[in-house]
Amino acid sequence: FQYDQDCMSSNPIAPTDNCTITLTFTPQSTGEKIVTLQVASDAPGAPHELTVTGRGTDFSVGMAPDQPSSATVNAGQSVSYNLSIAPIEEFEGNTALTCTWKDSQPRGTACSVTPSTVSVNGSDVADASVSITTTARSMAPITFEPQPPAPNSHPVSTLAIWMLGLAAVATFALRRRRPTVVLASVLFMAALWMACGGGGGGVSGGGTTSLGTPAGTYSLTVAGTTGTVSHSTDLTLAVKQAAGPAVNSRRAP
């Protein structure tokens, strides 16, 4: 309790005059507080006393009964936590609710509280829900870029002439029953085809990029604020990395 007054002994108050005493109660703890205000004067019956009573109220922010403060999800899933804002010593007032990550906010997440403001009526518990969303892992598509032919590579027309010639030699040798020549021709054609890059340019494989919420365990705080008074509770979120789509390395046809 604090008081202010303009009733000073240096400025006597006449019998028909009055002065003002202002008493302010700023509780530092909950519960009932009682003080006695004493006014000294030269009037009959002095000193005059007045008993003043005040009650310190408060509220708490915590989990709803039987509700966990931690959860585990796969990346891409959402989760909700149920909260209770309870009055202490008949607290009444509006409490604004916010959620913040203790460290940096994980990539691909969002946190919200519904409702953002609750009204506590002094006797009943107010409910709120914290919703957290995560983002699933995705893989950037593989891209193929044709590569320019090497400076010493054979033009397509030259390669076709070589292949036709070797095919003719192999056919002639097959008719003459000369398997060694046939085999040599086939092997030479295969080597020529590989040396020319399979008849086309090479490819450059595109890598994969991991997006979404990284796997890990994260902490956040939900705070309730009324005036200059704030209370909070901590939540824990464990994110498992869901398997992404299978990606096979391959060359362009």
Side-chain angles (χ1 to χ4, degrees), residues 140-169:
I142 295 180
T143 59
F144 298 92
E145 298 180 1
Q147 301 299 309
N152 61 348
S153 62
H154 298 284
V156 175
S157 58
T158 303
L159 176 63
I161 293 172
W162 273 97
M163 298 294 286
L164 288 174
L166 290 172
V169 172

Side-chain angles (χ1 to χ4, degrees), residues 77-252:
Q77 295 179 329
S78 301
V79 64
S80 294
Y81 301 80
N82 296 320
L83 302 179
S84 292
I85 296 82
I88 301 175
E89 293 290 343
E90 301 178 3
F91 169 83
E92 295 183 6
N94 294 326
T95 301
L97 300 172
T98 58
C99 63
T100 56
W101 298 94
K102 281 196 169 184
D103 299 314
S104 59
Q105 180 175 350
R107 182 178 66 242
T109 61
C111 177
S112 61
V113 187
T114 304
S116 59
T117 300
V118 295
S119 179
V120 183
N121 63 12
S123 58
D124 298 325
V125 172
D127 297 325
S129 176
V130 179
S131 177
I132 301 177
T133 59
T134 64
T135 302
R137 177 184 179 136
S138 62
M139 306 298 289
I142 295 180
T143 59
F144 298 92
E145 298 180 1
Q147 301 299 309
N152 61 348
S153 62
H154 298 284
V156 175
S157 58
T158 303
L159 176 63
I161 293 172
W162 273 97
M163 298 294 286
L164 288 174
L166 290 172
V169 172
T171 302
F172 178 79
L174 184 62
R175 289 178 179 178
R176 294 290 183 176
R177 299 177 182 273
R178 295 181 179 180
T180 304
V181 177
V182 175
L183 179 60
S185 299
V186 173
L187 292 176
F188 187 76
M189 283 190 290
L192 184 62
W193 178 267
M194 295 298 294
C196 293
V203 297
S204 62
T208 59
T209 302
S210 176
L211 305 175
T213 304
T217 301
Y218 307 101
S219 298
L220 61 154
T221 299
V222 180
T225 303
T226 299
T228 60
V229 180
S230 181
H231 297 290
S232 63
T233 189
D234 293 335
L235 304 177
T236 301
L237 175 67
V239 179
K240 298 189 297 182
Q241 191 63 74
V247 178
N248 297 322
S249 300
R250 60 186 179 89
R251 296 177 65 89

